[in-house]
Amino acid sequence: MSEQPAACRINVEALEAGFESEARQWAERLGLPLQIEDAEFALQVGQQGLQLQQLGPEAPGPVRVDFVEGGAAHRRLYGGGSGQMIAKAVGVAQGIRPRVLDATAGLGKDGFVLATLGCEMSLIERQPLIGALLEDGLARAAQDAEVAPIVARMHLLKGNSIELMRNWEGEPPQVIYLDPMFPHREKSALVKKEMRLFRPLVGDDNDAPALLEAALALASHRVVVKRPRKAPCIDGPKPSHGLEGKSSRYDIYPKKALKA
């Protein structure tokens, strides 16, 4: 996702008494005002953690990161384990749990699935607001006895994905996973709430070819790119093969085989 948000008016607010101090801290960290006239978005702090709310008529509900309940819990318990397409794409197999860098982490959903399966995950989300939601969700999940061991395998990095990959220090990730924002042309009612909320903030990933180039230079074993099923491949080297589902596919760029 684009590092700089589009020209949107965003403020930070406490939803309840007692959260004013935390709201001020987030405002200072993100360089956002606590109050602003005609705000289009509000970063809200309350008992359920940090959430992003679009304002105005017909705005969708708030978006927050929740690894303990809701969709994440259902997929953790009933999602299909290592038989899931994302698991096959990154190379999860008997005795193989690769070290994965998710360089377009978003709300951390795919990273959480892979961490649930036992992969050590590094996560980069370069859009500061979304990164704040992810940081807050990881911190809350670390307080839950069942989920804490999973999120302990998820390590959030801050900064520009391309720059961090180009200047990587230490052992490189075996697999790099990319899910760049793709231009949507569907009617808004058909687009996920998160995408409807984020698109005016972050736009599309016009630097996806540079993301792919940096990932191919860094990953030791393979790069995996998630795309809408009918979307073209990212400009650059072509994948050797892909896995296709009902709505999305995984383009796979192998470098060498993963071994147990």
Side-chain angles (χ1 to χ4, degrees), residues 235-251:
D235 289 342
K238 299 304 178 187
S240 71
H241 62 289
L243 298 175
E244 189 170 299
K246 292 181 179 179
S247 60
S248 60
R249 73 169 194 275
Y250 296 89
D251 293 339

Side-chain angles (χ1 to χ4, degrees), residues 23-247:
R24 283 194 298 271
Q25 292 173 13
W26 280 114
E28 291 172 4
R29 282 185 55 186
L30 296 169
L32 296 173
L34 286 169
Q35 291 185 332
I36 189 173
E37 290 187 7
D38 301 323
E40 299 171 78
F41 293 86
L43 189 65
Q44 301 170 330
V45 187
Q47 287 188 356
Q48 293 182 295
L50 199 65
Q51 63 184 36
L52 187 62
Q53 173 67 64
Q54 187 173 0
L55 304 176
E58 299 185 11
V63 169
R64 71 176 66 85
V65 173
D66 188 350
F67 294 123
V68 178
E69 299 179 351
H74 187 272
R75 190 164 181 184
R76 172 169 57 90
L77 297 171
Y78 310 110
S82 58
Q84 296 174 79
M85 196 180 305
I86 187 174
K88 295 177 181 178
V90 303
V92 170
Q94 186 172 359
I96 300 176
R97 294 296 185 271
R99 299 185 316 279
V100 181
L101 168 62
D102 183 347
T104 53
L107 297 175
K109 293 180 180 180
D110 288 340
F112 182 74
V113 169
L114 294 173
T116 299
L117 298 175
C119 295
E120 286 292 328
M121 299 296 303
S122 297
L123 304 149
I124 306 173
E125 177 44 58
R126 54 183 174 170
Q127 210 292 327
L129 285 173
I130 301 170
L133 295 176
L134 182 53
E135 177 183 338
D136 177 72
L138 287 168
R140 284 185 285 106
Q143 305 303 312
D144 182 87
E146 285 191 41
V147 179
I150 298 172
V151 297
R153 291 191 285 269
M154 299 171 68
H155 312 286
L156 181 60
L157 307 175
K158 297 177 181 178
N160 180 286
S161 310
I162 295 171
E163 292 176 2
L164 285 172
M165 286 192 285
R166 287 175 176 169
N167 298 293
W168 192 267
E169 296 182 0
E171 190 173 12
Q174 293 174 294
V175 178
I176 297 180
Y177 178 79
L178 303 174
D179 182 11
M181 187 79 87
F182 185 76
H184 281 274
R185 296 179 176 85
E186 300 99 329
K187 295 178 181 179
S188 61
L190 301 178
V191 180
K192 285 185 178 180
K193 178 175 69 175
E194 291 91 341
M195 294 301 101
R196 290 175 59 192
L197 185 69
F198 292 161
R199 194 162 296 280
L201 285 172
V202 305
D204 299 319
D205 273 326
N206 297 317
D207 59 357
L211 267 172
L212 177 60
E213 180 184 16
L216 287 169
L218 175 61
S220 63
H221 286 68
R222 73 171 65 174
V223 174
V224 177
V225 181
K226 184 179 181 180
R227 302 293 277 165
R229 186 171 64 88
K230 295 183 179 181
C233 296
I234 293 177
D235 289 342
K238 299 304 178 187
S240 71
H241 62 289
L243 298 175
E244 189 170 299
K246 292 181 179 179
S247 60

